[in-house]
Amino acid sequence: MRKLVIALGSVVALNSMAVFAADEDAAVGLLRKSKCLNCHAVESKKDGPAYREVAAKYRGKAEAEDKLTKHITVPNKVKIDGREEPHQMVKSKDPEEIRNLVSWILSL
Ligand code: HEC
């Protein structure tokens, strides 16, 4: 029984590692390169919402990854101080790199 519990414990540990395996350095590097940090921070609201707030808003929503990926890859408008402006596109064409960024934001 003890052995079974230990085995189950390590399966759970491995699974949660897979979910949170987003590469933070790569994600932040891409944010810097794409100038996202001009308007966003992890903890605090600037012109755009804090990434931690975005993660909270989408927690448990199945469409989260898809929605955020579109938001940073398909041209769309956001309101800043009452003015409509195009939202910044991510400076990458590599789907893996973009997916890593989106999962990292959602894991905050
Ligand atoms: C010029 C300022 C500005 C820049 C630069 C910018 N954003 Fe935003 N972003 C905003 C604003 C404003 C919103 C809020 C939009 C809304 O709630 O309608 C937003 C919203 C978001 C959201 C939440 C979308 C949602 O559905 O809730 C994400 C994720 C995001 N931005 C990611 C990024 C990424 C990644 C970059 C860099 C590629 C970036 N932003 C660059 C202003 C900016």
Side-chain angles (χ1 to χ4, degrees), residues 35-36 39-40 47 49 51 57-58 71-72 78 87-88 90:
K35 310 217 182 318
C36 312
C39 295
H40 292 280
D47 280 340
Y51 286 140
K57 176 173 144 192
Y58 284 103
H71 184 73
I72 60 174
V78 293
H87 190 257
Q88 182 92 355
V90 72

Side-chain angles (χ1 to χ4, degrees), residues 4-14:
L4 181 64
V5 170
I6 292 170
L8 279 178
S10 51
V11 170
V12 171
L14 278 177

Side-chain angles (χ1 to χ4, degrees), residues 1 5-6 17 19 32 37 39 67 79 85-86 101:
M1 190 59 199
V5 170
I6 292 170
M17 268 168 67
V19 172
R32 289 223 170 88
L37 301 174
C39 295
K67 220 173 152 211
K79 273 212 164 119
E85 291 190 21
L101 173 58

